[in-house]
């Protein structure tokens, strides 16, 4: 429900800000580019939702799942900014391998290759599989 509410709010805010911005510059509401923006934002929200769900499955604790779902993207974003500031291409490449936001944007734009799908595998599929395995052993044991 939170995901649907956030999606609806983001669509409404995007349309309203486009309309207000167009009126301020005197061109009116130009909504021709809003489709591409919404596609990328919804892909980003979907990837974040799946990542949060995978972290919850892996940690099997609400608190630890929330800390991981909030903390890991924060650490990745901060490390990405530091890599750009220091000009380290090696660090930037390592961070790109776990940058879920960048991967979801590349996927939404239709430009995703194998390397862009790596964050989805590492941050969504692998934790979900490990969490499912933990749950099976916990339920059986």
């Amino acid at each position: 429900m939170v995901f649907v509410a956030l999606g609806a709010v983001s669509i409404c805010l995007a349309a309203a800000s486009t309309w207000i911005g167009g009126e301020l510059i005197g061109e009116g509401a130009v909504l021709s580019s809003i489709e591409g923006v919404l596609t990328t934002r919804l892909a980003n929200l979907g990837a974040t939702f799946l990542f949060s769900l995978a972290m919850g499955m892996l940690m099997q604790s609400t608190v630890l799942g929330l800390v991981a779902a909030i903390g890991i993207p924060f650490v990745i974003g901060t490390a990405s900014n530091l890599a750009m500031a220091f000009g380290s291409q090696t660090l930037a490449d390592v961070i790109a391998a776990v940058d879920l936001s960048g991967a979801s944007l590349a996927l939404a734009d239709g430009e995703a290759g194998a390397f862009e799908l790596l964050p989805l595998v590492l941050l969504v599929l692998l934790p979900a599989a490990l969490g499912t395995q933990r749950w099976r052993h916990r339920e059986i044991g």
Side-chain angles (χ1 to χ4, degrees):
M1 293 304 294
V2 172
F3 175 73
V4 173
L6 284 176
V9 167
S10 66
I11 290 170
C12 292
L13 287 176
S17 62
T18 302
W19 177 71
I20 291 170
E23 290 296 324
L24 288 175
I25 61 173
E27 294 182 8
V30 180
L31 299 174
S32 60
S33 66
I34 199 167
E35 178 183 334
V37 172
L38 289 178
T39 302
T40 57
R41 288 298 111 203
L42 289 176
N44 197 354
L45 275 174
T48 303
F49 172 73
L50 291 175
F51 171 67
S52 300
L53 187 64
M55 286 297 109
M57 290 170 63
L58 178 64
M59 301 295 177
Q60 294 183 1
S61 164
T62 303
V63 174
L64 292 177
L66 284 172
V67 167
I70 293 169
I72 292 173
F74 176 77
V75 169
I76 291 171
T78 303
S80 176
N81 290 336
L82 289 174
M84 284 191 305
F86 293 124
S88 173
Q89 187 59 39
T90 305
L91 183 59
D93 290 341
V94 169
I95 293 169
V98 292
D99 184 15
L100 190 61
S101 177
S104 67
L105 295 179
L107 191 62
D109 288 339
E111 301 172 357
F115 186 74
E116 285 80 13
L117 295 178
L118 186 60
L120 295 171
V121 171
L122 291 175
L123 296 177
V124 176
L125 295 179
L126 186 63
L130 291 173
T132 302
Q133 184 69 12
R134 275 186 73 191
W135 188 264
R136 282 183 350 131
H137 286 295
R138 184 172 138 184
E139 288 295 312
I140 293 171

